[in-house]
Every structure is written in structure tokens, then in C-alpha cells.
Amino acid sequence: MASFPYFSQGTVVKGFGRGSKELGIPTANLPEEVVNQLPSHIDTGVYYGWASVNNGPVYKMVMSIGWNPYYKNTVKSMEAHLIHVFDDDFYGSNLKVCILGYLRPERGFSSLEELKTAIFNDIENGKTKLDEESNQKYKDHEFFLS
Ligand code: ADP
Ligand code: RBF
Ligand code: MG
């Protein structure tokens, strides 16, 4: 699609404590200023792409772009789950993301277990997409070089 890749970066901020880490799926949240820069063609939903922390290694990631109900649906959030196990939290670090494609719309779930299953499914779908040659090349994009 013509709207991708979409490159974005910002300082990792605290999210709103809905406990994604407890789900085993921590998400690094980008600040509001960064979310507000999103072009209108990037709709809410679930995306896949590449990400790095403080110009370190580039990892596969899946991202949720959506409205935070705690902010009365006026604040959109961007949260990335990097497909890598980190030894420590990285709040305050620079997060770079290269969004390459759309997976599905955001939806409601009747249980946390269903949400978790959907996200694990997104991770598998994202990984498969990112293995395609047309997406692999962005891992080495100059955007990720400090
Ligand atoms: P919050 O609500 O503050 O965003 P989370 O439970 O979503 O809390 O945890 C997010 C934090 O976990 C990130 O800001 C980051 O510091 C840390 N983290 C550790 N591993 C990862 C990972 N693989 N992907 C994203 N964030 C991670
Ligand atoms: N939240 C939803 O309410 N509906 C979704 O469909 C949804 N999909 C997500 C997909 C991915 C890949 C990720 C990382 C998060 C998703 N979330 C979704 C957000 C999730 O609810 C959030 O990370 C936790 O609630 C903690 O804030
Ligand atoms: Mg989070």
C-alpha cells in the first residue's frame, strides 16, 4: 500500500496500566505528540513492522493503534510489542518504529483470554509478513542507523 512504510519515533512513556505485561505481552507506548503526528490514512487497528530501542538491534514488532477509553476516546495510543525478550524495562528510551502493514481492526473481546489469543495470532501473522523479502529490506533501512 502506498501509505507504508510509515516511520515514527519517540520516548517510551508509561501506558495506562491495563496490564499488558501481565498478559505476557508488554507494549512500549509512544507519547501523545507522536500519536498526534499520525497521518489520517493510518487508521486505528493492528499493524506489523520493525522497531529498535536506543538505536540498538532491529526487532520484529506488532503494534496497536487505538483509542484509550480512559481518555474519553479523545486520545489515540500507539503501543508496540517487540518480538524479543528484554532483560529490563526501557521507559525513557528512544523507540523507533517502521510500520509496514495492517493486520486487522481493533475489536472488543469478552475475555482477556480471547484478547491474548488474538494478539498471539497477530504476532504469528506479523512474523510471517516480516519474513517476506519486500519487508525484510526495511530492517536495514537508514532510518535505523544512528
Ligand atoms: P505500560 O502500561 O506502562 O505501557 P506495559 O505492561 O505495557 O506497561 O509494559 C511496557 C513496558 O515493558 C515497556 O515500556 C518496556 O519498558 C517494557 N518491555 C519489556 N519487554 C518489552 C517488549 N518485548 N516489547 C515492548 N515493551 C517491553
Ligand atoms: N486491544 C483491544 O481492545 N482490542 C484489540 O483488538 C487489540 N489488539 C491488539 C493487538 C496487538 C498486537 C497489541 C500489542 C495490543 C492490542 N490491544 C488490543 C491492546 C491491548 O488491549 C493493550 O495492549 C492492553 O490492554 C494493555 O494496554
Ligand atoms: Mg503498554
Side-chain angles (χ1 to χ4, degrees):
M1 214 188 264
S3 45
F4 300 114
Y6 178 70
F7 297 100
S8 183
Q9 63 181 305
T11 304
V12 177
V13 296
K14 279 265 173 198
F16 303 102
R18 278 202 286 158
S20 42
K21 215 177 269 175
E22 284 71 35
L23 295 179
I25 314 160
T27 60
N29 293 56
L30 283 167
E32 198 181 326
E33 315 87 76
V34 173
V35 182
N36 290 338
Q37 288 163 18
L38 277 172
S40 54
H41 65 254
I42 302 219
D43 211 344
T44 59
V46 182
Y47 292 84
Y48 62 88
W50 299 104
S52 72
V53 177
N54 284 345
N55 291 315
V58 179
Y59 301 112
K60 290 177 175 177
M61 67 94 187
V62 284
M63 173 173 262
S64 159
I65 299 180
W67 300 97
N68 193 299
Y70 299 120
Y71 279 73
K72 296 176 183 166
N73 295 338
T74 57
V75 175
K76 215 190 237 179
S77 68
M78 284 172 83
E79 36 177 310
H81 172 68
L82 280 65
I83 305 173
H84 176 75
V85 178
F86 291 85
D87 290 334
D88 297 294
D89 283 351
F90 47 85
Y91 289 110
S93 298
N94 181 258
L95 176 73
K96 284 185 176 177
V97 296
C98 167
I99 301 174
L100 288 170
Y102 181 81
L103 289 171
R104 64 171 175 90
E106 288 265 304
R107 45 164 293 210
F109 294 93
S110 45
S111 70
L112 268 186
E113 208 48 48
E114 282 179 56
L115 171 64
K116 207 169 145 176
T117 302
I119 296 177
F120 281 125
N121 196 42
D122 295 332
I123 292 171
E124 288 315 308
N125 291 337
K127 278 179 172 172
T128 303
K129 295 273 192 193
L130 289 162
D131 282 335
E132 291 172 12
E133 205 179 307
S134 56
N135 289 323
Q136 274 288 323
K137 65 179 184 213
Y138 289 104
K139 192 180 177 177
D140 304 315
H141 194 278
E142 61 176 5
F143 168 71
F144 287 114
L145 302 173
S146 52

